[in-house]
Amino acid sequence: MAIAREAEPVSSLREIREAGLDRDDLLLTYRHMLVTRGIEERGHILYKQGKIPGSFYTGRGNEASAVGVAMAMGPEDVGTPLHRDMGVHVTRGVEPWRIFAQYMGREDGPTKGRDGNVHMADSRLGLIAMVSHLPAMLPVAVGAALAFRIREEKRVAVGWFGEGASARGDAHEAMNLAGVRRLPTVFICDNNQWAYSTPMHLEYACETLADRAQAYGFEGVVVDGTDVLAVYREARRAIEKAREGGGPTLIESMTLRMEGHAVHDDASYVPKELFEEWAKRDPIERFRNWLRENAEFTDEEEEQLAGSVKKILNDALSRADESPLPSPDSLTEGVFATPEDLDTPHHK
Amino acid sequence: MAEKTYLQAISDGLRQEMQRDKRVFVIGEDVGVYGGAFKVTLGFQEEFGPWRVIDAPLSETAIVGGCTGAAIMGMRPVAEMQFADFISCAWDHLVTVAAKQRYRAGTPVPIVVRLPSGGGFSGGPFHSQNPESSFAHIPGLKVVCPATPEDAKGLLVSAIEDPNPVLYFEHKHLYRRIKAEVPDERYLTPFGKARVHREGDDITVVTWGAMVYTADEAAKQLEEEDLSIEILDLRTLIPWDRKAVLESAKKTSKVLVLHEDTRTGGFGAEIAATIAEEAFEHLDGPIKRVTAPDSPVPFSPPLEKAYIPQIEDVAAGLRELAEY
Ligand SMILES: Cc1ncc(C[n+]2csc(CCOP(=O)(O)OP(=O)(O)O)c2C)c(N)n1
Ligand SMILES: [Mg+2]
């Protein structure tokens, strides 16, 4: 029998208002989800046009999970989102054109062409850029929480990892240290059931990954990752608990990776029926229906939203396309930091 | 000024930095109540409290990865590895995260990792290594190897001040064996400036860490044979003082590179290659390397003695060069 608690769905506007989101916030949440998917869909097109070097990853199916958690974070909180968590960047406020520039290896991408894909973050938005090695960002998130604890700041660090990456030692060491020191950390496990071609039963043998939290001395929760409101409510609870000194929480957010591991992968190893089943739970469609049934979301509002998202993305694409490629002269610049680099909001 | 051991100099330097900068904290295994395996942080927890002198679980990945996160959030972490050898468990966090974060994401990671390193007391294969060259190979990391008490303090202060990840190799054999005057006030010993440990005209020895003293003993022997040896203590490997090395090579025309680390791919190879590229015309002999052999560090005393370069090995190398 599972040890972790299973999160309840949110049933009404009143309930979600109590959890912290009013109607405007809900529409903003929906918008972030649309922008997130729109960025990745357009990225796909760019890739097919040959404009994106290397590979290309998306988080289709994970929009609710990423946006839901990010909506629950406070402005001073920080996080280490991964390759399925574009929604976190979008929600924290990164400008979409910079993401397209990043995809295309341009000068105006957050990494100025030094890294690709979602390997980026705007530190001014409280995000730390992921590395490929999974889940190496978990100890880093715990270290951020340690800094908050040492300085007695009421801030929280959120660390993401996939169910595949849960098998590596970094996950254990990070959760153990956070548990021992009751650090203000929230661990989000994006469980999309596959790690590249490897199904979850070949990655771990416990019933749910959230069950592991008990072994580290904190609470584990399993949430339906296609339900943005449920994700938001659980993330919010966990974040506020951590903020008040209640220690870490592990939230396992269940989704299905709705595309291949990356653009080259047709995911033929995933049973068709599984895709069909989860397609019915598409997070965006689901939230749209909820808004219509519970929040008087009108045709007019919907059209207006879709139009403005489309415009933002189109403008972003053309602006990104104007961004120059980096000059080879800059190749070895910035390997080492200078004292002036420490002049950031965080390093002061 | 007061006479201090190398260990006391490290400890005092660290304490002074913690007194003057609240962002500096220490984390490691047994560093708090116990004061660290070598007692470098003895008494620190009483002075600074349990949240600035943090007893970590046995968890090098979490320690170094955690330091990275804390540094990005504005702290100045100083991690202690119980022995330098255990840094392998945190390789990813230095090499994958900390070293590359500035270059690719624009985020500096000002952390210091203290690494008690080196052999000479039957520590065996896992408590004796000098893994500095592995890290010197990684763009984005700085590598520091003090040889004297004065440098131990000044380089530690510079390491804490530096906006990059710095690996600070403190040689265990020097901890209590080496004593010298150390200024009381705060000072920074700059990175990338070699120290002339001994001036000479006939042969240059380029070295660092505990080998400075081995070289010095060998030089004393050769003095009696009328050979004048110059010893350059590099102090820091990344960055390293090419200029001083090349100038000394040009002056003496013969160079011996000495290190306690193993031979193949050791940092001596980089120094030798640089001299060959940039001072070839000035050389009167091959560049000689005296290093540990390509084997793990052995445990039993006769084996370990054969492993670590001894005074006689250096003297023999110098004689060979002198005769060339
Ligand atoms: C340490 C490490 N080994 C291998 C890889 C290559 N790799 C990239 S993503 C991935 C699968 C990750 O699965 P999961 O953690 O479930 O995340 P998902 O991609 O499913 O979101 C693998 C094996 C990696 N990034 N890091
Ligand atoms: Mg997965």
Side-chain angles (χ1 to χ4, degrees):
Chain A
M1 210 187 70
I3 303 161
R5 175 167 67 80
E6 213 166 310
E8 299 278 307
V10 177
S11 51
S12 68
L13 196 59
R14 188 181 53 80
E15 249 183 67
I16 192 66
R17 192 175 293 133
E18 276 165 16
L21 297 180
D22 63 21
R23 190 174 184 279
D24 284 350
D25 297 326
L26 293 174
L27 295 189
L28 184 64
T29 303
Y30 185 62
R31 180 196 179 88
H32 289 325
M33 290 167 71
L34 290 179
V35 171
T36 300
R37 181 164 294 178
I39 286 171
E40 294 189 333
E41 282 178 348
R42 279 168 170 76
H44 220 126
I45 297 168
L46 284 177
Y47 183 84
K48 290 196 171 133
Q49 291 170 339
K51 288 191 171 174
I52 296 183
S55 193
F56 180 65
Y57 298 77
T58 72
R60 196 179 183 91
N62 201 53
E63 295 88 347
S65 184
V67 173
V69 174
M71 285 297 292
M73 291 168 68
E76 297 295 316
D77 296 339
V78 301
T80 57
L82 300 184
H83 53 300
R84 313 292 178 202
D85 303 315
M86 177 57 73
V88 175
H89 296 273
V90 170
T91 306
R92 296 296 290 186
V94 68
E95 295 167 279
W97 77 278
R98 292 213 182 262
I99 296 169
F100 292 130
Q102 165 82 3
Y103 283 168
M104 296 189 286
R106 305 297 176 87
E107 204 34 79
D108 292 295
T111 69
K112 302 186 166 73
R114 273 124 188 249
D115 206 340
N117 277 299
V118 203
H119 289 193
M120 56 166 205
D122 187 336
S123 62
R124 290 163 303 182
L125 305 175
L127 300 178
I128 302 175
M130 68 173 285
V131 297
S132 270
H133 298 45
L134 301 167
M137 299 314 290
L138 290 185
V140 177
V142 170
L146 181 63
F148 303 154
R149 176 62 188 80
I150 293 171
R151 296 194 297 244
E152 296 182 343
E153 293 169 355
K154 291 209 158 188
R155 296 166 70 185
V156 178
V158 183
W160 277 264
F161 65 117
E163 87 294 338
S166 74
R168 274 196 76 247
D170 284 41
H172 166 70
E173 291 201 23
M175 287 195 243
N176 186 59
L177 178 58
V180 165
R181 291 284 174 171
R182 292 178 73 77
L183 298 177
T185 324
V186 176
F187 297 96
I188 307 289
C189 179
D190 283 332
N191 188 336
N192 58 14
Q193 307 184 49
W194 298 84
Y196 208 150
S197 74
T198 307
M200 51 188 171
H201 73 271
L202 295 181
E203 295 283 2
Y204 59 93
C206 41
E207 192 174 331
T208 79
L209 282 170
D211 287 352
R212 288 190 185 167
Q214 195 194 42
Y216 298 115
F218 48 85
E219 197 195 5
V221 188
V222 183
V223 64
D224 176 351
T226 67
D227 179 349
V228 69
L229 300 180
V231 170
Y232 168 83
R233 184 162 68 180
E234 287 308 329
R236 182 73 194 259
R237 277 181 186 153
I239 288 170
E240 295 315 318
K241 178 180 173 186
R243 199 185 308 289
E244 296 312 319
T249 304
L250 167 56
I251 297 177
E252 181 178 10
S253 168
M254 298 302 301
T255 59
L256 179 66
R257 194 191 70 207
M258 294 305 286
E259 291 176 325
H261 172 63
V263 68
H264 65 273
D265 170 24
D266 67 3
S268 53
Y269 46 83
V270 179
K272 246 209 186 85
E273 308 76 63
L274 200 59
F275 275 133
E276 284 163 7
E277 181 195 327
W278 283 80
K280 291 184 209 137
R281 298 165 63 177
D282 177 75
I284 293 183
E285 196 53 32
R286 217 180 141 170
F287 189 36
R288 173 183 172 271
N289 293 340
W290 189 94
L291 286 171
R292 288 197 157 255
E293 283 162 26
N294 294 280
E296 293 162 9
F297 189 38
T298 63
D299 287 345
E300 202 188 355
E301 279 176 315
E302 194 173 354
E303 252 165 61
Q304 203 189 357
L305 198 57
S308 95
V309 168
K310 193 170 169 189
K311 180 164 167 16
I312 285 174
L313 295 178
N314 288 345
D315 292 351
L317 267 179
S318 23
R319 187 162 176 202
D321 215 11
E322 282 163 24
S323 174
L325 284 161
S327 158
D329 295 341
S330 70
L331 175 64
T332 58
E333 275 170 22
V335 172
F336 287 104
T338 61
E340 299 77 66
D341 289 330
L342 292 175
D343 196 19
T344 70
H346 295 310
H347 286 91
K348 268 177 202 152
Chain B
M1 280 286 211
E3 187 162 87
K4 278 180 186 149
T5 61
Y6 180 90
L7 186 143
Q8 200 57 49
I10 299 170
S11 182
D12 287 357
L14 186 53
R15 179 184 274 113
Q16 272 183 9
E17 288 311 285
M18 290 183 71
Q19 285 165 346
R20 84 177 260 290
D21 187 347
K22 279 184 102 155
R23 301 169 304 177
V24 180
F25 74 94
V26 168
I27 183 167
E29 291 151 26
D30 311 297
V31 296
V33 174
Y34 191 68
F38 297 98
K39 305 288 180 197
V40 171
T41 53
L42 191 65
F44 278 41
Q45 203 173 59
E46 283 92 330
E47 184 170 350
F48 301 107
W51 284 102
R52 283 184 72 205
V53 185
I54 302 174
D55 276 319
L58 196 166
S59 204
E60 284 74 14
T61 293
I63 292 169
V64 178
C67 285
T68 297
I72 293 174
M73 289 302 121
M75 301 300 284
R76 293 288 186 279
V78 179
E80 175 177 301
M81 293 291 105
Q82 201 150 70
F83 286 81
D85 310 67
F86 300 122
I87 193 62
S88 55
C89 300
W91 171 264
D92 227 9
H93 278 276
L94 283 170
V95 169
T96 302
V97 189
K100 296 174 177 50
Q101 210 67 3
R102 167 65 188 86
Y103 182 73
R104 53 180 213 105
T107 326
V109 180
I111 64 177
V112 178
V113 184
R114 289 185 33 243
L115 299 148
S117 61
F121 14 70
S122 286
F126 311 114
H127 292 76
S128 309
Q129 296 174 88
N130 293 277
E132 62 262 17
S133 72
S134 309
F135 295 99
H137 188 66
I138 308 297
L141 299 179
K142 293 194 176 177
V143 177
V144 179
C145 307
T148 68
E150 184 173 343
D151 284 356
K153 178 174 167 182
L155 288 172
L156 183 63
V157 175
S158 295
I160 294 170
E161 189 119 307
D162 199 279
N164 294 284
V166 180
L167 284 91
Y168 180 93
F169 287 91
E170 45 194 64
H171 202 292
K172 301 193 291 289
H173 202 43
L174 305 181
Y175 270 159
R176 294 185 170 83
R177 197 168 59 107
I178 299 299
K179 264 189 175 173
E181 296 286 312
V182 177
D184 294 325
E185 71 277 8
R186 178 177 196 262
Y187 58 93
L188 289 95
T189 305
F191 288 180
K193 285 256 176 297
R195 182 180 66 88
V196 180
H197 183 76
R198 183 188 185 93
E199 260 187 274
D201 301 313
D202 298 327
I203 304 177
T204 300
V205 177
V206 183
T207 191
W208 57 89
M211 285 294 115
V212 167
Y213 302 95
T214 307
D216 198 54
E217 292 301 320
K220 281 181 197 153
Q221 282 188 14
L222 294 194
E223 204 169 25
E224 287 160 24
E225 297 165 32
D226 257 356
L227 276 174
S228 146
I229 308 298
E230 175 141 304
I231 300 175
L232 279 188
D233 166 13
L234 280 186
R235 286 171 158 161
T236 63
L237 299 191
I238 303 292
W240 67 284
D241 194 345
R242 290 157 181 268
K243 191 162 160 273
V245 169
L246 291 170
E247 272 168 15
S248 182
K250 287 173 187 173
K251 179 173 92 173
T252 62
S253 306
K254 287 183 178 175
V255 182
L256 183 147
V257 185
L258 168 65
H259 57 65
E260 192 180 317
D261 188 10
T262 52
R263 188 174 184 86
T264 302
F267 200 72
E270 176 63 25
I271 296 167
T274 303
I275 298 169
E277 274 177 345
E278 295 180 32
F280 184 73
E281 303 285 326
H282 298 266
L283 294 179
D284 287 338
I287 302 156
K288 187 146 186 65
R289 280 184 290 166
V290 175
T291 69
D294 290 325
S295 80
V297 190
F299 165 73
S300 185
L303 291 176
E304 191 186 28
K305 185 158 181 261
Y307 173 92
I308 296 177
Q310 303 292 316
I311 300 165
E312 303 75 56
D313 301 322
V314 180
L318 288 170
R319 284 192 195 99
E320 222 179 277
L321 265 185
E323 282 160 23
Y324 189 88

